[in-house]
Short mmCIF file of all heavy atoms in Angstrom, two decimals:
data_model
loop_
_atom_site.label_atom_id
_atom_site.label_comp_id
_atom_site.label_asym_id
_atom_site.label_seq_id
_atom_site.Cartn_x
_atom_site.Cartn_y
_atom_site.Cartn_z
N MET A 1 96.49 114.58 88.66
CA MET A 1 96.15 114.37 87.24
C MET A 1 95.91 112.88 87.00
O MET A 1 96.76 112.17 86.44
CB MET A 1 97.28 114.88 86.35
CG MET A 1 97.51 116.37 86.44
SD MET A 1 98.80 116.94 85.28
CE MET A 1 100.23 116.12 85.98
N PRO A 2 94.77 112.37 87.44
CA PRO A 2 94.52 110.92 87.37
C PRO A 2 94.48 110.35 85.95
O PRO A 2 94.66 109.16 85.76
CB PRO A 2 93.17 110.76 88.07
CG PRO A 2 92.51 112.10 87.94
CD PRO A 2 93.62 113.09 88.02
N SER A 3 94.22 111.21 84.96
CA SER A 3 94.11 110.72 83.59
C SER A 3 95.45 110.67 82.87
O SER A 3 95.51 110.21 81.72
CB SER A 3 93.14 111.61 82.79
OG SER A 3 91.86 111.60 83.37
N ALA A 4 96.53 111.12 83.51
CA ALA A 4 97.84 111.11 82.87
C ALA A 4 98.30 109.68 82.60
O ALA A 4 97.94 108.75 83.33
CB ALA A 4 98.85 111.84 83.75
N SER A 5 99.08 109.51 81.54
CA SER A 5 99.49 108.17 81.12
C SER A 5 100.72 107.65 81.86
O SER A 5 100.80 106.47 82.19
CB SER A 5 99.78 108.16 79.61
OG SER A 5 98.62 108.52 78.88
N VAL A 6 101.67 108.52 82.14
CA VAL A 6 102.93 108.09 82.77
C VAL A 6 102.71 107.41 84.13
O VAL A 6 103.33 106.38 84.41
CB VAL A 6 103.91 109.28 82.90
CG1 VAL A 6 105.17 108.86 83.65
CG2 VAL A 6 104.27 109.81 81.52
N PRO A 7 101.86 107.95 85.01
CA PRO A 7 101.67 107.30 86.31
C PRO A 7 101.16 105.87 86.22
O PRO A 7 101.28 105.12 87.19
CB PRO A 7 100.63 108.20 87.00
CG PRO A 7 100.82 109.53 86.38
CD PRO A 7 101.15 109.25 84.95
N MET A 8 100.60 105.48 85.07
CA MET A 8 100.13 104.11 84.91
C MET A 8 101.27 103.10 85.03
O MET A 8 101.03 101.91 85.23
CB MET A 8 99.43 103.94 83.57
CG MET A 8 98.12 104.71 83.46
SD MET A 8 97.41 104.64 81.81
CE MET A 8 97.15 102.88 81.61
N LEU A 9 102.52 103.59 84.92
CA LEU A 9 103.69 102.72 85.03
C LEU A 9 104.14 102.55 86.47
O LEU A 9 105.26 102.10 86.72
CB LEU A 9 104.84 103.29 84.19
CG LEU A 9 104.57 103.46 82.70
CD1 LEU A 9 105.74 104.12 82.01
CD2 LEU A 9 104.24 102.11 82.06
N SER A 10 103.29 102.89 87.42
CA SER A 10 103.64 102.77 88.84
C SER A 10 102.59 101.95 89.58
O SER A 10 101.43 101.87 89.17
CB SER A 10 103.75 104.15 89.49
OG SER A 10 102.49 104.77 89.55
N ILE A 11 103.02 101.36 90.67
CA ILE A 11 102.10 100.60 91.52
C ILE A 11 101.18 101.54 92.28
O ILE A 11 99.99 101.26 92.46
CB ILE A 11 102.89 99.71 92.50
CG1 ILE A 11 103.68 98.64 91.72
CG2 ILE A 11 101.98 99.06 93.53
CD1 ILE A 11 104.62 97.83 92.57
N SER A 12 101.71 102.67 92.72
CA SER A 12 100.92 103.61 93.52
C SER A 12 99.72 104.14 92.73
O SER A 12 98.66 104.40 93.31
CB SER A 12 101.80 104.78 93.98
OG SER A 12 102.38 105.46 92.87
N HIS A 13 99.86 104.30 91.42
CA HIS A 13 98.75 104.78 90.59
C HIS A 13 97.56 103.84 90.69
O HIS A 13 96.43 104.27 90.92
CB HIS A 13 99.21 104.91 89.14
CG HIS A 13 98.09 105.19 88.18
ND1 HIS A 13 97.57 106.45 88.00
CD2 HIS A 13 97.38 104.36 87.36
CE1 HIS A 13 96.59 106.39 87.10
NE2 HIS A 13 96.47 105.15 86.71
N TRP A 14 97.82 102.55 90.53
CA TRP A 14 96.73 101.57 90.54
C TRP A 14 96.16 101.40 91.94
O TRP A 14 94.95 101.15 92.09
CB TRP A 14 97.22 100.25 89.98
CG TRP A 14 97.61 100.37 88.55
CD1 TRP A 14 98.88 100.46 88.03
CD2 TRP A 14 96.72 100.47 87.43
NE1 TRP A 14 98.82 100.60 86.67
CE2 TRP A 14 97.52 100.62 86.28
CE3 TRP A 14 95.34 100.45 87.30
CZ2 TRP A 14 96.97 100.73 85.00
CZ3 TRP A 14 94.78 100.57 86.04
CH2 TRP A 14 95.59 100.71 84.91
N ALA A 15 96.98 101.59 92.95
CA ALA A 15 96.48 101.52 94.33
C ALA A 15 95.52 102.67 94.61
O ALA A 15 94.44 102.48 95.19
CB ALA A 15 97.64 101.56 95.31
N LEU A 16 95.89 103.88 94.18
CA LEU A 16 95.03 105.04 94.40
C LEU A 16 93.75 104.94 93.57
O LEU A 16 92.67 105.32 94.04
CB LEU A 16 95.78 106.32 94.07
CG LEU A 16 96.92 106.68 95.03
CD1 LEU A 16 97.75 107.83 94.49
CD2 LEU A 16 96.36 107.03 96.40
N GLN A 17 93.84 104.40 92.36
CA GLN A 17 92.65 104.18 91.54
C GLN A 17 91.72 103.18 92.22
O GLN A 17 90.49 103.34 92.19
CB GLN A 17 93.05 103.67 90.16
CG GLN A 17 93.61 104.72 89.24
CD GLN A 17 92.54 105.67 88.74
OE1 GLN A 17 91.62 105.27 88.02
NE2 GLN A 17 92.65 106.93 89.11
N LEU A 18 92.31 102.18 92.83
CA LEU A 18 91.51 101.18 93.55
C LEU A 18 90.77 101.82 94.71
O LEU A 18 89.57 101.57 94.92
CB LEU A 18 92.43 100.06 94.03
CG LEU A 18 91.81 98.95 94.88
CD1 LEU A 18 90.64 98.31 94.16
CD2 LEU A 18 92.85 97.91 95.25
N ILE A 19 91.46 102.65 95.47
CA ILE A 19 90.83 103.32 96.61
C ILE A 19 89.74 104.28 96.14
O ILE A 19 88.66 104.37 96.73
CB ILE A 19 91.89 104.04 97.46
CG1 ILE A 19 92.82 103.02 98.11
CG2 ILE A 19 91.23 104.92 98.53
CD1 ILE A 19 93.98 103.64 98.85
N ASP A 20 90.01 105.03 95.06
CA ASP A 20 88.99 105.94 94.52
C ASP A 20 87.73 105.18 94.13
O ASP A 20 86.61 105.65 94.35
CB ASP A 20 89.55 106.68 93.29
CG ASP A 20 90.59 107.72 93.68
OD1 ASP A 20 90.63 108.12 94.85
OD2 ASP A 20 91.38 108.12 92.80
N ALA A 21 87.91 104.00 93.53
CA ALA A 21 86.76 103.19 93.13
C ALA A 21 86.00 102.69 94.35
O ALA A 21 84.76 102.70 94.38
CB ALA A 21 87.22 102.01 92.27
N ILE A 22 86.73 102.27 95.38
CA ILE A 22 86.09 101.77 96.60
C ILE A 22 85.29 102.88 97.28
O ILE A 22 84.16 102.65 97.74
CB ILE A 22 87.16 101.20 97.55
CG1 ILE A 22 87.74 99.91 96.98
CG2 ILE A 22 86.57 100.95 98.94
CD1 ILE A 22 88.96 99.41 97.71
N VAL A 23 85.85 104.08 97.33
CA VAL A 23 85.14 105.21 97.94
C VAL A 23 83.84 105.48 97.19
O VAL A 23 82.79 105.72 97.80
CB VAL A 23 86.04 106.47 97.93
CG1 VAL A 23 85.23 107.71 98.30
CG2 VAL A 23 87.20 106.29 98.91
N LEU A 24 83.88 105.45 95.85
CA LEU A 24 82.68 105.73 95.07
C LEU A 24 81.63 104.64 95.22
O LEU A 24 80.43 104.91 95.19
CB LEU A 24 83.06 105.90 93.59
CG LEU A 24 81.98 106.49 92.68
CD1 LEU A 24 81.48 107.82 93.21
CD2 LEU A 24 82.51 106.65 91.26
N ILE A 25 82.08 103.40 95.40
CA ILE A 25 81.14 102.30 95.61
C ILE A 25 80.47 102.43 96.98
O ILE A 25 79.26 102.26 97.13
CB ILE A 25 81.85 100.94 95.48
CG1 ILE A 25 82.30 100.72 94.03
CG2 ILE A 25 80.93 99.81 95.92
CD1 ILE A 25 83.18 99.51 93.84
N ALA A 26 81.27 102.72 98.00
CA ALA A 26 80.74 102.82 99.37
C ALA A 26 79.95 104.10 99.58
O ALA A 26 78.93 104.10 100.28
CB ALA A 26 81.88 102.74 100.38
N TRP A 27 80.42 105.20 98.98
CA TRP A 27 79.76 106.50 99.13
C TRP A 27 79.41 107.04 97.74
O TRP A 27 80.16 107.86 97.18
CB TRP A 27 80.67 107.48 99.87
CG TRP A 27 80.94 107.13 101.29
CD1 TRP A 27 80.16 106.41 102.13
CD2 TRP A 27 82.10 107.49 102.06
NE1 TRP A 27 80.74 106.30 103.37
CE2 TRP A 27 81.94 106.96 103.35
CE3 TRP A 27 83.25 108.23 101.77
CZ2 TRP A 27 82.88 107.11 104.35
CZ3 TRP A 27 84.20 108.39 102.76
CH2 TRP A 27 84.01 107.84 104.05
N PRO A 28 78.32 106.60 97.14
CA PRO A 28 77.97 107.01 95.77
C PRO A 28 77.78 108.52 95.62
O PRO A 28 77.91 109.05 94.50
CB PRO A 28 76.66 106.27 95.50
CG PRO A 28 76.62 105.15 96.50
CD PRO A 28 77.34 105.65 97.70
N ASP A 29 77.48 109.23 96.71
CA ASP A 29 77.25 110.67 96.63
C ASP A 29 78.55 111.48 96.52
O ASP A 29 78.49 112.70 96.34
CB ASP A 29 76.47 111.16 97.85
CG ASP A 29 75.06 110.59 97.90
OD1 ASP A 29 74.54 110.23 96.82
OD2 ASP A 29 74.49 110.50 98.99
N THR A 30 79.70 110.82 96.63
CA THR A 30 80.97 111.54 96.60
C THR A 30 81.14 112.32 95.30
O THR A 30 81.56 113.48 95.30
CB THR A 30 82.14 110.56 96.76
OG1 THR A 30 81.97 109.81 97.97
CG2 THR A 30 83.47 111.31 96.84
N LEU A 31 80.79 111.70 94.18
CA LEU A 31 80.92 112.37 92.89
C LEU A 31 80.00 113.59 92.81
O LEU A 31 80.41 114.66 92.32
CB LEU A 31 80.60 111.40 91.76
CG LEU A 31 80.71 111.95 90.34
CD1 LEU A 31 82.12 112.46 90.08
CD2 LEU A 31 80.34 110.86 89.33
N GLN A 32 78.79 113.45 93.34
CA GLN A 32 77.84 114.57 93.33
C GLN A 32 78.36 115.72 94.19
O GLN A 32 78.27 116.88 93.80
CB GLN A 32 76.48 114.11 93.83
CG GLN A 32 75.42 115.19 93.81
CD GLN A 32 74.07 114.69 94.33
OE1 GLN A 32 73.92 113.52 94.65
NE2 GLN A 32 73.11 115.59 94.43
N TYR A 33 78.90 115.40 95.35
CA TYR A 33 79.45 116.43 96.22
C TYR A 33 80.60 117.18 95.53
O TYR A 33 80.73 118.41 95.66
CB TYR A 33 79.95 115.82 97.53
CG TYR A 33 78.86 115.28 98.41
CD1 TYR A 33 79.09 114.21 99.28
CD2 TYR A 33 77.57 115.83 98.38
CE1 TYR A 33 78.09 113.70 100.08
CE2 TYR A 33 76.57 115.33 99.19
CZ TYR A 33 76.82 114.26 100.03
OH TYR A 33 75.83 113.76 100.83
N THR A 34 81.43 116.44 94.83
CA THR A 34 82.55 117.07 94.11
C THR A 34 82.04 118.01 93.03
O THR A 34 82.56 119.13 92.86
CB THR A 34 83.44 115.99 93.49
OG1 THR A 34 83.90 115.10 94.50
CG2 THR A 34 84.65 116.61 92.81
N GLN A 35 81.02 117.57 92.30
CA GLN A 35 80.47 118.40 91.22
C GLN A 35 79.80 119.66 91.78
O GLN A 35 79.92 120.74 91.20
CB GLN A 35 79.48 117.58 90.40
CG GLN A 35 80.13 116.45 89.63
CD GLN A 35 79.12 115.53 88.98
OE1 GLN A 35 77.94 115.50 89.36
NE2 GLN A 35 79.56 114.76 88.00
N ILE A 36 79.12 119.52 92.92
CA ILE A 36 78.48 120.67 93.55
C ILE A 36 79.53 121.68 94.01
O ILE A 36 79.39 122.90 93.81
CB ILE A 36 77.60 120.22 94.74
CG1 ILE A 36 76.39 119.44 94.23
CG2 ILE A 36 77.14 121.42 95.56
CD1 ILE A 36 75.55 118.84 95.33
N ALA A 37 80.61 121.18 94.64
CA ALA A 37 81.68 122.06 95.11
C ALA A 37 82.33 122.80 93.96
O ALA A 37 82.64 123.99 94.05
CB ALA A 37 82.72 121.25 95.88
N THR A 38 82.51 122.10 92.83
CA THR A 38 83.12 122.73 91.65
C THR A 38 82.18 123.78 91.05
O THR A 38 82.61 124.89 90.68
CB THR A 38 83.45 121.67 90.59
OG1 THR A 38 84.34 120.70 91.16
CG2 THR A 38 84.11 122.31 89.38
N ALA A 39 80.89 123.45 90.97
CA ALA A 39 79.92 124.35 90.35
C ALA A 39 79.75 125.64 91.14
O ALA A 39 79.60 126.72 90.56
CB ALA A 39 78.57 123.64 90.22
N PHE A 40 79.82 125.55 92.46
CA PHE A 40 79.61 126.73 93.30
C PHE A 40 80.93 127.33 93.81
O PHE A 40 80.90 128.24 94.63
CB PHE A 40 78.72 126.38 94.49
CG PHE A 40 77.29 126.12 94.11
CD1 PHE A 40 76.84 124.84 93.87
CD2 PHE A 40 76.38 127.18 93.98
CE1 PHE A 40 75.53 124.59 93.52
CE2 PHE A 40 75.06 126.94 93.63
CZ PHE A 40 74.63 125.65 93.39
N GLY A 41 82.04 126.83 93.32
CA GLY A 41 83.34 127.38 93.71
C GLY A 41 83.68 127.18 95.17
O GLY A 41 84.35 128.01 95.78
N ILE A 42 83.23 126.07 95.75
CA ILE A 42 83.50 125.77 97.15
C ILE A 42 84.82 125.01 97.26
O ILE A 42 85.03 124.00 96.59
CB ILE A 42 82.36 124.93 97.76
CG1 ILE A 42 81.03 125.67 97.64
CG2 ILE A 42 82.67 124.60 99.22
CD1 ILE A 42 79.84 124.83 98.08
N ASP A 43 85.72 125.51 98.07
CA ASP A 43 87.01 124.86 98.27
C ASP A 43 86.86 123.78 99.34
O ASP A 43 87.09 124.01 100.53
CB ASP A 43 88.06 125.89 98.69
CG ASP A 43 89.45 125.28 98.76
OD1 ASP A 43 89.62 124.14 98.26
OD2 ASP A 43 90.36 125.93 99.31
N SER A 44 86.46 122.60 98.91
CA SER A 44 86.22 121.51 99.85
C SER A 44 87.47 120.70 100.16
O SER A 44 87.54 119.98 101.15
CB SER A 44 85.15 120.56 99.29
OG SER A 44 85.62 119.92 98.12
N GLY A 45 88.47 120.79 99.29
CA GLY A 45 89.68 119.99 99.47
C GLY A 45 89.52 118.57 98.98
O GLY A 45 90.51 117.83 98.85
N LEU A 46 88.29 118.16 98.69
CA LEU A 46 88.03 116.78 98.26
C LEU A 46 88.73 116.43 96.96
O LEU A 46 89.27 115.33 96.84
CB LEU A 46 86.52 116.56 98.14
CG LEU A 46 86.07 115.14 97.77
CD1 LEU A 46 86.53 114.14 98.82
CD2 LEU A 46 84.54 115.09 97.62
N PRO A 47 88.75 117.33 95.94
CA PRO A 47 89.40 116.96 94.67
C PRO A 47 90.87 116.60 94.80
O PRO A 47 91.40 115.88 93.95
CB PRO A 47 89.20 118.21 93.80
CG PRO A 47 87.98 118.87 94.35
CD PRO A 47 88.06 118.63 95.83
#
């Protein structure tokens, strides 16, 4: 639940957000792949 407010009070939350941002910068298609998997009900494990 990345949008939850309570985890913002932890260091691990910001570290994982940082990694998520880096992945999206390096691999811009990651978001598209996630949306495709969700739309077609594919259990990719990526989310």
Side-chain angles (χ1 to χ4, degrees):
M1 296 183 294
S3 300
S5 299
V6 175
M8 293 174 61
L9 300 176
S10 68
I11 295 173
S12 58
H13 171 81
W14 296 102
L16 291 171
Q17 284 288 296
L18 176 56
I19 294 174
D20 288 341
I22 290 169
V23 169
L24 192 55
I25 293 172
W27 294 333
D29 294 336
T30 304
L31 181 58
Q32 182 180 357
Y33 292 151
T34 304
Q35 293 172 341
I36 291 174
T38 302
F40 289 95
I42 302 174
D43 186 13
S44 65
L46 183 60

